Amino acid sequence: MTTVSNGTGGSNGTKETLGPRASLWLSLVLALLFGALSVLVLHPAAQHLRSLADGRPVWATMRTNGPCMTGGCLVSFEAGGREVLAELPAGSGSKALSVGDSVDVRYRADDPRVAALARDVDGGGAAIPAVVSGALAVFFALFACWWAFAPWRRRRSVG
């Protein structure tokens, strides 16, 4: 059970606990949040990365520092005779890259600004968090069911 201080600051040491209904609602909210994260954010990101698996390969130069897992990393490369600046999507590699590093990317032939690191086009960078988030959603949904039926189980075992 989760314990929360009563906030009185007194020395009596009393503690309040979350009741069954609060635990039920908290579990349901967490299940919905993790489920929504998995289905609405992480799964589409993995699909987007997989869609670039048959993209055109090219060597690019990093234009920003840091890990690209949350997105926002820029790369530049030549496509169709012109210099292209593309933003790597969220879920692109967890390794921190530096400005000037040469990286292998794949891009869409019809829109070179849509690119991803070649090592990430299998979708694994975003697929693993999607599976973990989905598993957490199932865990919290089962926990909510357990809390919902706990009073019924107690009454049945007593009677």
Side-chain angles (χ1 to χ4, degrees):
M1 234 181 262
T2 306
T3 345
V4 182
S5 171
N6 64 4
T8 60
S11 62
N12 62 2
T14 61
K15 293 189 177 193
E16 297 177 16
T17 59
L18 292 177
R21 286 188 184 174
S23 295
L24 171 69
W25 285 109
L26 180 64
S27 296
L28 285 173
V29 166
L30 287 172
L32 287 173
L33 287 175
F34 280 117
L37 175 67
S38 181
V39 171
L40 299 175
V41 177
L42 297 171
H43 181 67
Q47 292 295 92
H48 173 68
L49 287 171
R50 280 189 207 108
S51 74
L52 292 167
D54 59 350
R56 292 193 176 162
V58 68
W59 284 98
T61 304
M62 288 300 298
R63 296 295 175 203
T64 54
N65 282 327
C68 301
M69 188 54 118
T70 57
C73 285
L74 298 173
V75 294
S76 64
F77 54 91
E78 189 172 316
R82 63 185 177 97
E83 188 73 15
V84 176
L85 187 65
E87 183 176 353
L88 297 176
S92 296
S94 57
K95 178 183 166 191
L97 298 167
S98 300
V99 172
D101 284 353
S102 187
V103 292
D104 187 17
V105 299
R106 293 192 180 260
Y107 68 92
R108 280 201 185 130
D110 58 340
D111 187 5
R113 292 173 296 154
V114 179
L117 296 174
R119 67 176 182 235
D120 293 330
V121 296
D122 64 352
I128 293 169
V131 169
V132 170
S133 180
L136 284 171
V138 170
F139 169 77
F140 283 112
L142 291 173
F143 189 73
C145 289
W146 183 77
W147 270 110
F149 292 110
W152 177 73
R153 286 191 323 265
R154 268 187 255 131
R155 277 185 294 216
R156 191 166 177 211
S157 66
V158 171

